[in-house]
Amino acid sequence: KAGVTQTPRYLIKTRGQQVTLSCSPISGHRSVSWYQQTPGQGLQFLFEYFSETQRNKGNFPGRFSGRQFSNSRSEMNVSTLELGDSALYLCASSFSSFSGDTDTQYFGPGTRLTVL
Amino acid sequence: AQSVTQPDIHITVSEGASLELRCNYSYGATPYLFWYVQSPGQGLQLLLKYFSGDTLVQGIKGFEAEFKRSQSSFNLRKPSVHWSDAAEYFCAVGASYNTDKLIFGTGTRLQVFP
């Protein structure tokens, strides 16, 4: 079974631009989460989507947004980029049972975003 | 609020030596606990997880972890480290009910000397 894929793997943008990152989950997985990883802040949760609905959201400004499509693929968008948005953005997918119990997340290789 | 502490930022061991990486969590109910490993420039790979049952959990690559509720710990161990184990290791706890969100520790960077 193919793992979580993320595109693009590397991206260079300038301040003020916007960017869209894509994530394809493991086949059959219904939940997709996004995390930002930086040397200073570590791994921080951005948001989680389940069945095309945002189920959980982290403490990031409104410039960060996401969505999930009916095939569970997800995109995240960052508008008006700032230098501090430079980071590794990781996507994770999980099957996510209806019991509500935490399910195991499997991570993609990440997208390295550099903002100049 | 849930939190995870990894007290050791950087650990150096010799190849063949035993390893223990520490993880302490703060969580009100029975936690869902995970260990992930990250090689430079890569994503996170799941090593093992604890949901319930046997408190000693076996994972991939010869790693194991022991859940100790009384100490709020979930330490990762390996009896004999290989040079390829050099990486960053993250402990994480499932945030709460009806979400798969993870709360991560700050990570421990493992360096292995030949």
Side-chain angles (χ1 to χ4, degrees), chain B residues 15-52:
Chain B
E15 192 170 18
S18 63
L19 173 70
E20 182 169 28
L21 303 182
R22 295 183 290 166
C23 172
N24 292 95
Y25 67 90
S26 172
Y27 190 74
T30 301
Y32 292 85
L33 295 162
F34 305 82
W35 275 99
Y36 287 88
V37 61
Q38 185 178 36
S39 297
Q42 303 297 313
L44 302 176
Q45 181 183 21
L46 177 70
L47 284 175
L48 47 77
K49 62 187 179 186
Y50 172 78
F51 282 7
S52 64

Side-chain angles (χ1 to χ4, degrees), chain B residues 77-105:
Chain B
R77 301 193 295 246
K78 187 169 185 178
S80 177
V81 171
H82 188 262
W83 63 266
S84 61
D85 293 324
E88 188 146 23
Y89 292 79
F90 292 92
C91 180
V93 64
S96 67
Y97 185 78
N98 206 32
T99 177
D100 294 336
K101 168 187 173 182
L102 294 175
I103 295 170
F104 284 90

Side-chain angles (χ1 to χ4, degrees), chain A residues 62-82:
Chain A
R63 300 185 298 107
F64 291 82
S65 63
R67 59 177 175 169
Q68 186 180 33
F69 302 95
S70 58
N71 61 359
S72 293
R73 191 177 69 85
S74 177
E75 289 181 347
M76 69 162 281
N77 182 273
V78 188
S79 62
T80 320
L81 284 166
E82 300 177 359

